[in-house]
């Protein structure tokens, strides 16, 4: 669908020129909006709002707790972030909203059946809900507009509407969309259906419900359950009626969801489509394989520790979990681990390939999106389609909403968390009754065994899918962004190490490169910024010398200076100047 957006916009502009009464960015409603085909063409322009490529798989690498980068931490975390940052003006952009409202105001031709108009209005309102969700989770209170504004409209300079008001409007749009968009299952996973609208509703309502619950704001807390109930209801409708299911086909059923050119439509509800036929590519191999990439993200040991053992026991219940060498720590673990990072047996272009420490400073080399047989490692030539919504997230959203409502039971557990773990090869998937101390120290605000396990599962299942920072915001767990990034345990310095168990040395950790280096060995030179936790051994510590800070004000971004200069009535978010 993305591949035809530019063509659609061209058609819209050409059609707009059929009347000189209207500027080029408008369509004459006396001529256009008269057939279903015209409604569909206009609605297709909304697809340009969907997340794409890097915005899906790079977001977590830029700002999350479980990816360490070779570049400095985000300015938002450690630097003097202000309301003058250029990204803020891009986020405070209202063009897409005007496009949506223009359509809704003009889709009124009674010669088109009402259910047809409602279908396309539902698509428009779904995108409006998504637009406002992005605005609210970023800025909090924002002005609500459900009409096209003229340059002289006084509402251009109104105050921001409250989060409560705006999110109630978002819920109205989501309900209309999920009740009126056609429910055809799309096996191409490229078009908006009722199931996409319901998946979006579950995601948005879970975010809002938990954000309110953990907000420390009594007014927000009092209405949290309303959104949690809506999230659970939307997810359950998909689970009961949609026909989607978890993919369990093949040797790597989890990773296949992210590396195939054709979406696995049994599980993928909506995807960003890439392929040779469309001549449309993403840059996943360059980002996660080539050392020429800028940030070189790698997963942290704190996160890797959270993967369960195959027998269902917790890896961190072993007293030596934090001093277990790599080849031992990856044995008999959740099968998703070997589908997320390079482990012994991993092959790139048919060759056994260890973690590349020139790329990832932690040693946990991410492979979830890489195409192992694609030779274009340093080019943007990936053809794998990227899931935007998939059934696994729906299960997680349902489980979390029910747990936050205090309604989790064994039946719900078996439908959701147990099903995901079973796909991952875990044998004992029973519901734990005692909170895991390891997860509890990461999330000290909750003692619920159910919620902690759901957060573990959400981290593992959705890693790298662009949702982690939103999760940390809604759980009010920004403190995790301030932790020192840790990497794998290194027993000693100056010793050649075989990292993929093929009998060939791959890496040596040193304080200075030797005068006679061994061919084929990467010499990892330690420094104050990339050191070992105990000096001559221990966990890798990546940029441990940088003081990362996350104050409460950072759960919202500041209103950009450029917007305040145009409209002082907007006001600034608390804590920001």
């Amino acid at each position: 669908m993305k591949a035809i957006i530019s063509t659609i916009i061209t058609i819209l502009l050409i059609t707009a020129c059929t009347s000189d009464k209207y500027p080029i960015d408008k369509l004459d409603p006396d001529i256009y909006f008269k057939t279903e085909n015209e409604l569909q063409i206009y609605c297709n322009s909304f697809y340009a709002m969907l997340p794409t490529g890097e915005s899906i798989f790079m977001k977590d690498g830029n700002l999350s707790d479980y990816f360490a980068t070779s570049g400095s931490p985000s300015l938002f975390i450690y630097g003097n972030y202000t309301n003058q940052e250029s990204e803020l003006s891009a986020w405070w952009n209202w063009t897409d909203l005007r496009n949506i409202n223009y359509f809704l105001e003009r889709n009124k031709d009674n010669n088109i059946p009402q259910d047809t108009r409602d279908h396309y209005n539902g698509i428009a309102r779904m995108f409006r809900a998504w637009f406002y969700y992005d605005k609210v989770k970023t800025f909090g209170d924002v002005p609500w507009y459900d009409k096209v504004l003229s340059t002289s409209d006084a509402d251009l300079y109104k105050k921001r509407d409250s989060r409560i008001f705006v999110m109630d409007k978002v819920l109205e749009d989501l309900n209309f969309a999920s009740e009126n968009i056609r429910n055809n299952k799309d096996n191409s996973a490229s078009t908006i259906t009722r199931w996409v609208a319901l998946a979006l509703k579950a995601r948005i309502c879970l975010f809002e419900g938990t954000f309110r619950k953990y907000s420390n704001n009594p007014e927000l807390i009092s209405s949290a359950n309303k959104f949690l109930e809506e999230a659970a209801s939307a997810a359950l409708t998909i689970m009961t009626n949609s026909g989607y299911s978890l993919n369990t086909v093949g040797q790597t059923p989890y990773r296949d969801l992210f590396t195939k050119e054709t979406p696995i439509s049994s599980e993928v509800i909506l995807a960003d489509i890439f392929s040779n036929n469309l001549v449309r590519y993403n840059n996943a191999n360059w980002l996660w394989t080539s050392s020429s990439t800028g940030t070189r993200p790698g997963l942290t040991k704190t996160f890797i520790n959270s993967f369960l053992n195959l027998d269902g026991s917790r890896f961190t219940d072993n007293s030596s979990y934090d001093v277990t060498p790599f080849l031992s720590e990856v044995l008999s673990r959740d099968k998703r681990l070997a589908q997320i990072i390079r482990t012994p047996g991993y092959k790139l272009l048919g060759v056994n390939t260890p973690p590349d420490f020139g790329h990832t400073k932690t040693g946990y080399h991410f492979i979830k999106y890489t195409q192992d047989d694609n030779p274009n490692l340093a080019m943007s030539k990936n053809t794998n389609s990227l899931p935007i919504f998939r059934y696994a997230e729906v299960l997680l959203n349902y489980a979390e909403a029910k747990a936050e409502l205090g309604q989790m039971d064994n039946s719900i557990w078996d439908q959701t968390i147990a099903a995901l773990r079973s796909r991952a090869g875990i044998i004992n998937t029973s519901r734990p009754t005692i909170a895991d101390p390891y997860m509890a120290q990461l999330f000290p605000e909750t003692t619920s065994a159910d919620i902690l396990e759901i957060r573990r599962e959400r981290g593992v299942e959705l890693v790298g899918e662009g949702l982690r920072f939103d999760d940390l915001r809604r759980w009010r767990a920004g403190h995790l962004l301030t932790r020192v990034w840790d990497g794998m345990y290194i027993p000693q310095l100056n010793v050649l190490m075989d990292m993929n168990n093929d009998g060939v040395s791959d890496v040596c950790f040193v304080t200075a490169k030797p005068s006679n280096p061994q061919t084929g060995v990467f010499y990892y030179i330690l420094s104050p910024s990339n050191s070992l936790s105990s000096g001559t051994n221990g966990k890798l510590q990546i940029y441990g010398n940088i003081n990362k800070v996350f104050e409460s004000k950072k759960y919202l971004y500041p209103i950009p200076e450029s917007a305040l200069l145009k409209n002082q009535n907007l006001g600034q978010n608390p804590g920001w100047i």
Side-chain angles (χ1 to χ4, degrees):
M1 179 60 70
K2 286 278 185 174
I4 62 172
I5 293 301
S6 60
T7 302
I8 291 167
I9 292 173
T10 300
I11 292 171
L12 289 173
L13 292 177
I14 292 171
T15 309
C17 295
T18 57
S19 172
D20 59 9
K21 295 188 298 179
Y22 293 86
I24 197 165
D25 66 336
K26 296 181 180 179
L27 298 173
D28 184 345
D30 294 330
I31 299 173
Y32 210 74
F33 304 108
K34 296 298 184 181
T35 68
E36 179 174 357
N37 185 57
E38 291 173 345
L39 300 184
Q40 181 179 2
I41 289 174
Y42 196 105
C43 282
N44 284 345
S45 70
F46 303 149
Y47 282 70
M49 295 173 58
L50 292 173
T52 61
E54 285 192 19
S55 67
I56 296 172
F57 59 67
M58 188 52 194
K59 184 177 178 182
D60 287 352
N62 285 329
L63 186 58
S64 72
D65 60 317
Y66 52 31
F67 274 108
T69 70
S70 292
S72 297
S74 166
L75 181 66
F76 187 63
I77 302 301
Y78 91 100
N80 185 26
Y81 197 90
T82 72
N83 72 339
Q84 299 174 36
E85 306 305 327
S86 59
E87 62 191 10
L88 293 172
S89 294
W91 295 343
W92 191 270
N93 184 297
W94 300 82
T95 302
D96 288 332
L97 178 64
R98 187 182 189 281
N99 187 34
I100 293 167
N101 285 338
Y102 185 86
F103 175 83
L104 290 169
E105 286 184 358
R106 286 155 179 79
N107 181 16
K108 299 182 183 299
D109 193 320
N110 289 326
N111 291 317
I112 300 175
Q114 185 67 49
D115 62 340
T116 298
R117 284 185 285 135
D118 285 345
H119 166 74
Y120 291 104
N121 280 341
I123 292 174
R125 292 182 69 171
M126 188 207 81
F127 277 103
R128 185 167 67 185
W130 204 336
F131 174 90
Y132 266 106
Y133 165 60
D134 283 338
K135 287 289 184 287
V136 169
K137 72 181 181 181
T138 304
F139 298 111
D141 298 348
V142 291
W144 170 265
Y145 298 115
D146 56 7
K147 64 179 181 178
V148 175
L149 301 179
S150 68
T151 55
S152 60
D153 199 312
D155 281 347
L156 283 171
Y157 304 100
K158 74 174 186 176
K159 295 180 180 179
R160 290 186 281 165
D161 292 297
S162 72
R163 182 189 194 108
I164 289 175
F165 175 82
V166 173
M167 289 308 296
D168 280 346
K169 291 293 187 180
V170 166
L171 185 56
E172 288 178 14
D173 276 351
L174 290 169
N175 285 337
F176 184 91
S178 59
E179 291 164 5
N180 289 281
I181 298 175
R182 294 165 185 159
N183 64 358
N184 302 337
K185 185 177 183 295
D186 172 27
N187 289 326
S188 73
S190 65
T191 59
I192 303 302
T193 67
R194 181 191 182 209
W195 311 117
V196 174
L198 283 165
L200 178 64
K201 179 181 176 181
R203 180 186 290 181
I204 290 176
C205 289
L206 179 65
F207 179 94
E208 190 62 16
T210 47
F211 184 93
R212 294 187 184 202
K213 180 175 180 177
Y214 295 106
S215 68
N216 299 321
N217 180 327
E219 186 177 14
L220 292 179
I221 293 171
S222 67
S223 54
N225 282 3
K226 175 180 76 172
F227 282 90
L228 293 172
E229 289 164 356
E230 292 282 2
S233 175
L236 183 60
T237 300
I238 297 173
M239 293 163 61
T240 304
N241 299 322
S242 70
Y244 287 97
S245 61
L246 294 177
N247 177 51
T248 57
V249 177
Q251 295 298 309
T252 54
Y254 173 78
R255 188 172 178 228
D256 288 348
L257 294 162
F258 310 97
T259 59
K260 299 296 184 182
E261 184 169 310
T262 301
I264 299 176
S265 59
S266 58
E267 178 169 343
V268 178
I269 302 171
L270 182 67
D272 188 15
I273 308 299
F274 297 89
S275 75
N276 280 315
N277 287 338
L278 293 174
V279 196
R280 187 166 186 267
Y281 306 102
N282 67 72
N283 62 358
N285 273 33
W286 172 78
L287 178 67
W288 303 106
T289 303
S290 172
S291 294
S292 67
T293 183
T295 57
R296 307 179 191 177
L299 290 169
T300 67
K301 183 168 177 57
T302 296
F303 174 65
I304 298 298
N305 286 341
S306 69
F307 285 71
L308 297 174
N309 295 319
L310 275 179
D311 64 4
S313 63
R314 298 184 293 236
F315 176 72
T316 51
D317 283 349
N318 184 331
S319 60
S320 62
Y321 76 88
D322 238 8
V323 293
T324 302
F326 178 69
L327 291 181
S328 297
E329 75 172 331
V330 298
L331 290 175
S332 301
R333 299 287 291 278
D334 180 329
K335 289 185 179 180
R336 285 171 294 191
L337 183 58
Q339 298 174 61
I340 290 172
I341 64 169
R342 294 185 184 183
T343 58
Y346 171 75
K347 292 185 178 182
L348 180 63
L349 301 177
V351 179
N352 286 323
T353 306
D356 182 354
F357 287 88
H359 182 277
T360 173
K361 295 299 182 182
T362 66
Y364 300 114
H365 196 143
F366 196 68
I367 62 169
K368 182 169 173 175
Y369 293 99
T370 56
Q371 292 180 302
D372 303 332
D373 58 352
N374 187 332
N376 300 297
L377 301 183
M379 300 170 63
S380 298
K381 293 282 286 186
N382 276 61
T383 61
N384 46 319
S385 293
L386 307 174
I388 298 172
F389 291 105
R390 60 189 182 92
Y391 188 68
E393 184 198 345
V394 172
L395 296 183
L396 288 163
N397 291 345
Y398 182 63
E400 187 174 351
K402 298 298 277 187
E404 292 286 3
L405 288 165
Q407 298 172 4
M408 174 59 75
D409 59 27
N410 290 339
S411 174
I412 294 171
W413 177 272
D414 290 342
Q415 286 179 282
T416 57
I417 307 304
L420 290 164
R421 291 181 177 178
S422 179
R423 181 190 33 200
I426 295 172
I427 298 169
N428 180 5
T429 60
S430 59
R431 179 185 173 201
T433 57
I434 299 174
D436 176 14
Y438 183 81
M439 295 300 296
Q441 57 91 20
L442 295 176
F443 300 102
E445 79 289 345
T446 182
T447 58
S448 165
D450 288 331
I451 291 174
L452 290 172
E453 289 303 316
I454 290 166
R455 292 185 183 182
R456 179 206 305 278
E457 195 63 26
R458 189 174 180 89
V460 169
E461 180 69 26
L462 301 179
V463 59
E465 295 185 44
L467 300 173
R468 184 63 170 185
F469 182 55
D470 291 343
D471 285 348
L472 298 182
R473 282 198 285 201
R474 64 190 181 84
W475 294 333
R476 211 164 182 83
H479 62 276
L480 293 177
L481 292 163
T482 68
R483 293 175 63 96
V484 173
W485 291 320
D486 54 2
M488 61 177 56
Y489 174 74
I490 307 303
Q492 53 188 322
L493 297 178
N494 305 312
V495 174
L496 297 176
M497 300 176 67
D498 173 9
M499 301 304 295
N500 64 341
N501 207 27
D502 65 353
V504 178
S505 297
D506 305 306
V507 66
C508 186
F509 293 83
V510 297
T511 55
K513 191 169 183 177
S515 56
N516 295 307
Q518 181 170 316
T519 302
V521 172
F522 180 85
Y523 288 88
Y524 191 121
I525 301 175
L526 299 167
S527 66
S529 60
N530 294 315
S531 61
L532 298 180
S533 57
S534 297
T536 58
N537 62 17
K539 294 185 294 181
L540 287 164
Q541 294 190 311
I542 312 303
Y543 286 96
N545 58 333
I546 293 179
N547 183 32
K548 293 182 280 187
V549 179
F550 193 89
E551 310 101 316
S552 291
K553 70 178 184 179
K554 291 184 178 179
Y555 287 109
L556 297 175
Y557 279 82
I559 306 300
E561 180 186 49
S562 57
L564 293 173
L565 289 174
K566 295 175 183 176
N567 180 10
Q568 294 182 359
N569 291 324
L570 292 172
Q572 186 54 276
N573 281 327
W576 295 101
I577 298 175

